[in-house]
Amino acid sequence: MQSSPFLRHMLAPCFVLQKPGSEWPVRVQPDGSIACSADPLEPAQAWFYARFALELSALVRACCPPAGADGQRMARLLLAAARVTACAWQTGPFCPSGGSVPMPCAWGHGLAGTTVPDTARLARCLTELAFFVAPALRPHGVDVPALQAWACAAWPVLQPAEWLVVSGGDERLDPGAQTGLNRYGCQPLPRYGELDFSSSTASTPTLLAARAMHQAAIRLIRLAVEGQGAGAVVEETKTFLAGFYHLDGAGRVVLAPSGTDCALAATAVMGLLNTPLTTIVPGAEETGSGVPLATCGHHFAYRTARGQAVQKGMPIDGFMRDAEYVALELRGSNAERVPDSDLFAACQQQVARAVGAGRRVLLYMLHVSKTGQLVLPASRVRALCAQYPGQVDVLVDACQARLRPELVRQYVAWGWAVMVTGSKFFTGPPFSGALFLPDSWLARLRGTACLPAGLAAYASRAEWPDLPACRILPAGLNAGLFVRWSGARAEMEAFAAVPDAQKTERLQQFMQGATAALRACPFVCLLPSVALSTQPEADAWDSLPGIFAFTVLHDGCALDFAQARLVHGWLLADLTSSLPMDLRGEERALAALPCHVGQPVALTSAQGVEAGMGALRVSVSARHVSGTGGGYAAVLAVAKGASTADHPVAWMLAKLGLILRYWADLAHAQPPCHPHAARASLPGGGCMSGQAPALGRPGISALALGQS
């Protein structure tokens, strides 16, 4: 249980003891403790029974059944734990691509399918499952037809947490068939031993977040076991976010899987005005790639958050057809940043044109962009709104979440909508988004017009405020969204527990060490970063730059965007099989070290070639401050006098140097390790890797061990 990266997050606070002479490998007690047989088992059997015992123990502790518990409820608990375990087996460490070890229990095969077994098979399963709990917990007098009817309704919720966390979003969440990584280079469970600087894009969950997500999945099952609706858990998430950002209530919160889904939600609210819409986005190339489609009411992916297959780029039913999107670039040739004055002048010109044509304007304000820029200053945006009263709405894209809650509250008080995520700075699992609505936007939802009908493919009623315009949305629960926000919430609470002075100190320590390592490296060129002054508290933690973008030089030239994408994948992968066999021991260890940096951003070269350069990104995150990812210790050691070479960013640069040295070998080998590899579907309807990482020594990346 301790050594498996698939099980470690499930162990606490469960009490496990050995019981010599037990004829069953595991047996769950009334208090949730697990009695294990002292007899040795094959690794596959041990993993299967450990997973089943941990799932069942968590459910017993959550439901607190007393001795002589209701037989029907206990039967549901047994069936739920067995179903989750059987599903987890299909994507666990003993089911690699191209073959698998047979499931240790015959009852598991019938429970892992998409349909519920018939009553006769359920009765047989229940008889076998009863021996895995103490006599006081064994169900008696079970109404099997009623149990089957319950299972038919609950079956979609009875899934492993690692399946739920990749559900309820579009194809960007799907793990790759060869790597188990999604398009951001993340996996559903912790990857121990990874150097993580990828919060500008997305991060693999920490142990803390994984525990919270498992408990969230258990809670959904408990509600299903007790026959209760799950709407309250969505409301709790919204209440938490409102409290965290100092808003006056959960009624201002819209939950959405991604920042692009938030942009679509904002477009839907703007459509309630029944006026032609112009969306103006300064710094457009440094926001989400799906934003241009979402702001025009078009599908931005091939699958919606509610699982509906759609045609990317096609109009969504009910959204306005005459919406236009105006992109204002943040950078020119050679990645030079356009001055704020020039960007603001271009913005003014576009607003005047749109308003003059009788159109409503939605102005994006980026706080912060992909490369860590603040676009535009809030004072100038307010002046522009005052120039065109009642004709310009503002949407603050704060999806990076690199700002204090007080500033979010201020934006909302000014009448601006704000998008945030729990999956970038806070490093919750990818696809945890929220949109905060000001009074004027809430007033639109109270009117007689309804949200666009096509939004029902993306959102359910529970994720929106309980207002008239939202009641066109369907009932239901995005279980994956709730599970992901539970992981993000754990990280947010850990960050909030650190005093503000320590937040600033630790962020400065990371920033100083990272920039020193990058500037000392001969084969990278660091893009200028700017302080994010958020007056009146210019010394607050969110005034510090937290994203450091850099280009990589190879043979004297900056890598282009396509080459930078290759480097991004190679940094993350175990490269030992693609490099010469005579590598020294330290080089071989470096080649296997997973280093996760932010995905490359396309930049224009000095010659004016678009995507002529690709900038990778190193980012500080909440986990570097709170210590939940384990990376703060190394940063603190550097701050206390250790060499800059000991900073984790320097280790990443050392692997980057190895990649450049053996570029020809890697380009020739093209190992199947890139996070953009083909996707695979989960047997239960979600998505998961067909090849799971192998078990390995604690502290070594499961991904690295699986690929080496």
Side-chain angles (χ1 to χ4, degrees), residues 276-281 322-328 345-362 384 387-388 391-392:
L277 178 65
T278 295
T279 301
I280 302 174
V281 185
D322 54 357
E324 67 174 5
Y325 173 84
V326 178
L328 302 177
C347 192
Q348 274 185 313
Q349 182 181 6
Q350 290 296 336
V351 171
R353 178 195 62 80
V355 171
R359 304 179 70 87
R360 184 86 180 190
V361 172
L362 178 61
L384 191 58
Q387 188 177 349
Y388 299 96
Q391 296 169 300
V392 177

Side-chain angles (χ1 to χ4, degrees), residues 3 130 157 201 280 299 309 335 388 423-424 440 466 532 625 650:
S3 64
V157 176
T201 303
I280 302 174
H299 294 294
Y388 299 96
S423 52
K424 294 193 184 296
S440 58
D466 185 18
L532 305 173
V625 172

